[in-house]
Amino acid sequence: MMGYKTMSNCIAMASWELKISVDERGPEAEPVTLRVTGDTHIGGVMLKAVEAIQIQQNWSDHALWWEQKRQWLLKTNWTLDKYGILADAKLLFTAQHKPIHLLLPNTKTVKLKASFSQPVFRTVIGICKTLNIRHPEELSLLRQPEEKKKKKKDKDNMTKKEIYDLTGIVMSTAQQLSNGMPAYFSETPEAQECYKILSISQPNLPPEVMAKMFRPGTLIEKTQINNRKLWLKKHRACIQQDLSSCGASWLSFARYIFIYDMVRINQLYEQARWAVLLEEIDCTEEEMMVFAALQYHINKLSQLPDSGEPQRDSAMDDLDTALSCLEVRMEGAKPSDVLDSITTIPELTDYLKIFRPKKLTLKGYKQFWFIFKETLISYYKSKEEALGEPIQQMNLKGCEVVPEVNVAGQKFCIKLLIPAPEGMSEVYLRCENEQQYANWMAACRLASKGKTMADSSYHSEVQNILSFLMMQKSNPESQLSSDTENINTQSLVSPRYQKKYKAKQLTPRILEAHQNVAQLPLMEAKMKFIQAWQSLPDFGVTYFVVRFKGGRKDEILGIANNRLIRIDLNVGDVVKTWRYSNMRQWNVNWDIKQVAIEFDEHINVAFSCVTANCKIVHEYIGGYIFMSTRSKEQNEVLNEEMFHKLTGGHEAL
């Protein structure tokens, strides 16, 4: 700002009027007018504003928001000239932390204060701290999409929705526990009730409400989930993305690599349950009965009088260790057991049947002698010929492993999609029984990640597979409980099976499956549900419609926690997979919105996004790579700088 000379030859700065709106006065109130100069600091402007407002309250959380630039003026030592603020600037004096309505994965809504001035990533950290959820990098905020105007009756129903208020709680610096919950949750009955909402399963929604919820019926509709989910950018503040005070947002697990604790287990169970019920992930009929039985069992235990008491079980003292067998690991991680690298690598040998589908052929399964060592499967005509050359040798590193199981029909098959120059080579292996299937399936899953049976997770993987198969077994001789009429089957199975079977047909099947899980305690039952969800072939895959460089048609790109999957849009078949462990670098051309990735052996992949912003794809890939670098130490400090570098792109700075 130019000055002028006084009679004593001193330079005086020209003053001018600056108008500031005050949030507490309301949108219709006249703004406060201050006389300032270009050398006035932002802190001085706020002091003058508080004096002019003449309202006695705590203003320490307030700051200035520049509407035209959509920018917070948080550097109070900067002058108006340094920010470039002139008399026509529209400034708002408003609180940095404001209440928002947060829709949790269990469909319950809590009201709490969140930061509107920090990047969304920091806001999520603050929310998770309030809700007692560790590892906030697993979650993200979504803005609720605008819905069409509803009838007055529906509008009235929405207003009756219960909201749990946490805006009044005061968090202490030290994390203290009271009755197994953070101390600030035990101060009032309302806060205690809210903690139960977070950590204990709640009754299901009415069938008529579930019927209105979006369900993807095709692969294309699954890609539309990411269009409906308006992910907030992690590197920009909430107010910069038009999230208003008391606005509705979703808190959701964005990436499928988890570390467990009590509140997270419950919220993760709820998100998994809705993914199954809304058919966001496919499962077989037998698997659906297991999911229904587990839900029925969890609902029963959650309604017991002592279920609301968040007491610690001795077996739950260290969930990260006790439940490590359920951890979804990225390939390429170092083995946790030093002995893994020096012991002799085990191998599997047995007679299996193999089938290689080909066009215009009716040939079925043929039996051969198989040897599985390291990541290689070799097969021979007989055991006696195993010392010679194999008929074929298959390297499973980087392949897709899909279960093809029907427990009732004693069908135990493993579908392998093995990378080949022309695409993916399809192979089916058929096992004779559950134990053989579990051994070979676990070995195939590890080999696909570049690991061997010497890995410490092999035996736990075998037990997990056997446990899931055991839950699918029928017990025709078991005595069913007498409360069959109390089962609400519509809230336990997806609409596909509601249409296929009547309630009186589903009830005995669910109760029969319940006999296999009836002895599980509450937390273990939730973990079994999550484990079964993780065992599904499409678990953790997020779909996008893309156009590959040089291609003439749209295709599907699936992003999983350890690989990228190229899928034919019309048929749904896997065309190619690329593992993150083979990735050398990736970048985004923000001008033409194209993602380019370089893998080992000079393999280059480039694509542009059709149905979503390439920023979301970039965040998914960078986020998964970041999460593969973290440890399970409870006191590990979150490396925010690394997270922003991997996910922020051109906004990282």
Side-chain angles (χ1 to χ4, degrees), residues 356 392 395 397-399 417-426 574-578 603:
R356 304 180 68 96
Q392 187 182 17
N395 190 342
K397 186 175 180 180
C399 77
L417 296 172
I418 304 171
E422 66 279 2
M424 303 294 280
S425 177
E426 190 174 355
V574 174
V575 178
K576 196 77 175 176
T577 61
W578 303 280
I603 298 174

Side-chain angles (χ1 to χ4, degrees), residues 350 352 410-413 430-440 466 469:
D350 213 337
L352 299 177
Q410 289 296 292
K411 175 189 175 184
F412 304 101
C413 295
R430 183 157 192 166
C431 303
E432 290 296 323
N433 50 56
E434 294 97 327
Q435 186 64 57
Q436 189 184 56
Y437 169 79
N439 292 339
W440 286 77
L466 286 172
L469 293 176

Side-chain angles (χ1 to χ4, degrees), residues 396-408:
L396 301 193
K397 186 175 180 180
C399 77
E400 293 290 309
V401 183
V402 183
E404 296 275 342
V405 175
N406 185 324
V407 177

Side-chain angles (χ1 to χ4, degrees), residues 40-46 62-63 73-79 83:
T40 305
H41 292 79
I42 297 298
V45 173
M46 291 194 295
H62 280 58
L73 309 180
L74 299 178
K75 297 180 180 179
T76 55
N77 61 328
W78 279 28
T79 64
Y83 266 118

Side-chain angles (χ1 to χ4, degrees), residues 2-16:
M2 296 296 293
Y4 59 90
K5 280 190 177 182
T6 64
M7 294 180 64
S8 58
N9 289 328
C10 294
I11 300 296
M13 299 301 296
S15 63
W16 40 277

Side-chain angles (χ1 to χ4, degrees), residues 66-196:
W66 190 359
E67 181 61 37
Q68 292 105 318
K69 296 285 187 179
R70 304 195 61 77
Q71 177 185 356
W72 284 96
L73 309 180
L74 299 178
K75 297 180 180 179
T76 55
N77 61 328
W78 279 28
T79 64
L80 296 176
D81 278 350
K82 193 168 184 179
Y83 266 118
I85 296 175
L86 301 175
D88 61 347
K90 292 182 179 179
L91 300 183
L92 175 66
F93 192 49
T94 184
Q96 298 180 61
H97 291 80
K98 301 180 181 183
I100 62 170
H101 291 168
L102 200 63
L103 186 65
L104 301 175
N106 63 355
T107 71
K108 300 298 180 182
T109 302
V110 296
K111 182 181 179 182
L112 45 74
K113 285 190 175 181
S115 173
F116 275 62
S117 61
Q118 293 181 314
V120 166
F121 185 71
R122 293 291 307 170
T123 301
V124 172
I125 291 176
I127 290 173
C128 290
K129 187 176 181 181
T130 302
L131 300 180
N132 195 35
I133 300 177
R134 293 189 300 113
H135 298 284
E137 66 273 17
E138 296 175 1
L139 297 104
S140 189
L141 277 181
L142 303 90
R143 183 169 57 251
Q144 194 165 359
E146 296 181 1
E147 297 182 1
K148 296 179 180 179
K149 292 183 179 180
K150 298 183 177 182
K151 295 179 181 178
K152 187 176 181 181
K153 184 177 179 181
D154 292 340
K155 209 169 186 178
D156 293 337
N157 290 337
M158 290 295 291
T159 57
K160 295 178 182 178
K161 190 173 184 179
E162 189 171 7
I163 297 175
Y164 299 87
D165 194 346
L166 287 176
T167 55
I169 65 171
V170 179
M171 297 181 61
S172 57
T173 306
Q175 182 75 307
Q176 297 177 342
L177 296 180
S178 175
N179 296 325
M181 69 177 78
Y184 54 85
F185 275 113
S186 61
E187 293 176 353
T188 63
E190 291 79 11
Q192 292 181 19
E193 185 65 26
C194 187
Y195 190 77
K196 292 179 183 179

Side-chain angles (χ1 to χ4, degrees), residues 25 32 48-57 59:
R25 287 186 165 187
V32 173
K48 288 184 178 183
V50 170
E51 292 173 359
I53 295 169
Q54 296 182 347
I55 298 177
Q56 297 296 323
Q57 70 171 60
W59 298 97

